[in-house]
Amino acid sequence: MTPDELLEVFHRRIRLPDADTIPGWKQELDGLVHRSYFEGEGGGGFVETPRGLGDDPDAVIAAQIAFFRERGLEFEWKTYAYDEPADLGERLLAAGFVRADSETLILGEVDAILARPGALPSKVRLRDVEEPADFHRIAVLMDSLWHNGLERIEDRLAAEYRMFPDRLEVTLIEEALKGPDGPALTAAWIRFHPETGFASLWGGGTLPEWRRQGLYSAILVHRAKKAKARGYEFLRVDASEDSRPILQKLGLHAVTTTTPYEWKP
């Protein structure tokens, strides 16, 4: 499929039905706004508008701010480069949002990844995780790379895994000799979106000294095999500039960019 065809399928199967909401979060359609959120410790929300913002965009933006302010929740408005109106980002900034780093939306067919080799160095091993201690090791790795704290992985991801094991699988790579006593070298997870044909790939951060040794590619192929085994056709990644060229080299396609805008009460 061409990049344009992939994007059309993604928009129709994922964005319009809001099919990639985090399991367990409240999910609402407020006019043109797709909104999901979680109230409680560590709560927050996400907003998208795949159908545009209508005749009064600023009023729609103000209504969402009021909704989350009333609940004391921070939230992210995720924009895609083709969203309407074309000046949505500027309007969000004017309303008090803070722009975060853009990413590239990467899409592709599972079979494109499975056609590639995924060999690992003999001194490391790849395994799926289940134990709380593994989630802590992954959180330490991600915090060392992105400095976003331990809670998002150690608490939120572990809780999601416990509650929805059929929708999420988590994998790490570690040194074979050190095993659980050593650090996680890289870690990634895959979320399955039933009845869409899409599985989404997350994580993939690798310790700097272990980069360019095939770890990222190996954990990518491993997750593609999982998707194939469950009958999924397509993969989706929100890719940083570090991972984008690797994913394209492996046969996936850059179809557009996404930019999150963050608001805090």
Side-chain angles (χ1 to χ4, degrees):
M1 296 180 70
T2 68
D4 286 345
E5 290 171 335
L6 288 166
L7 181 58
E8 190 279 328
V9 173
F10 173 81
H11 186 83
R12 176 165 42 86
R13 294 191 188 181
I14 297 293
R15 293 200 72 198
L16 291 181
D18 208 11
D20 61 351
T21 300
I22 297 174
W25 285 41
K26 294 180 181 178
Q27 187 173 354
E28 298 173 349
L29 183 62
D30 182 14
L32 293 169
V33 174
H34 293 211
R35 182 171 64 212
S36 63
Y37 60 99
F38 173 75
E39 296 182 273
E41 186 175 355
F46 291 92
V47 162
E48 283 191 29
T49 49
R51 295 176 175 85
L53 282 180
D55 296 331
D56 194 350
D58 293 332
V60 177
I61 293 169
Q64 296 310 307
I65 291 174
F67 176 90
F68 285 100
R69 177 183 285 123
E70 180 181 347
R71 289 157 179 79
L73 295 175
E74 60 185 63
F75 74 106
E76 174 187 304
W77 194 305
K78 185 169 185 177
T79 69
Y80 288 71
Y82 63 90
D83 282 352
E84 296 291 341
D87 64 348
L88 174 57
E90 286 78 6
R91 292 176 183 271
L92 292 172
L93 291 174
F97 287 77
V98 175
R99 185 185 189 277
D101 292 338
S102 296
E103 296 179 311
T104 301
L105 176 63
I106 301 286
L107 301 175
E109 297 173 83
V110 170
D111 288 343
I113 295 296
L114 296 180
R116 309 285 176 163
L120 274 173
S122 60
K123 54 191 173 184
V124 304
R125 68 177 179 184
L126 178 153
R127 65 179 178 85
D128 295 330
V129 307
E130 298 178 356
E131 300 299 326
D134 287 327
F135 286 98
H136 176 73
R137 294 167 68 211
I138 294 171
V140 170
L141 167 66
M142 297 303 169
D143 185 52
S144 72
L145 297 173
W146 311 116
H147 312 294
N148 54 1
L150 303 181
E151 178 186 342
R152 179 170 296 180
I153 301 300
E154 189 164 8
D155 295 338
R156 293 187 187 180
L157 188 67
E160 181 183 344
Y161 176 82
R162 290 192 303 270
M163 295 173 63
F164 304 97
D166 58 326
R167 299 278 298 272
L168 175 72
E169 293 193 41
V170 184
T171 303
L172 63 76
I173 296 176
E174 62 194 2
E175 291 183 71
L177 293 179
K178 294 182 179 180
D181 295 326
L185 308 181
T186 190
W189 44 101
I190 181 170
R191 288 188 174 102
F192 301 99
H193 307 286
E195 300 179 6
T196 68
F198 278 89
S200 57
L201 307 181
W202 305 91
T206 303
L207 286 177
E209 61 269 30
W210 284 90
R211 293 171 185 167
R212 299 180 180 85
Q213 298 190 50
L215 273 62
Y216 183 88
S217 297
I219 208 168
L220 177 65
V221 171
H222 177 74
R223 288 176 292 164
K225 289 178 179 177
K226 290 179 175 294
K228 181 72 172 181
R230 292 188 183 216
Y232 284 81
E233 305 168 73
F234 305 107
L235 296 173
R236 171 263 187 97
V237 190
D238 291 341
S240 68
E241 279 305 296
D242 291 331
S243 56
R244 178 189 56 77
I246 302 173
L247 293 163
Q248 289 181 282
K249 184 178 180 180
L250 290 171
L252 303 184
H253 302 280
V255 299
T256 189
T257 58
T258 69
T259 305
Y261 291 81
E262 298 170 350
W263 183 90
K264 294 184 179 180

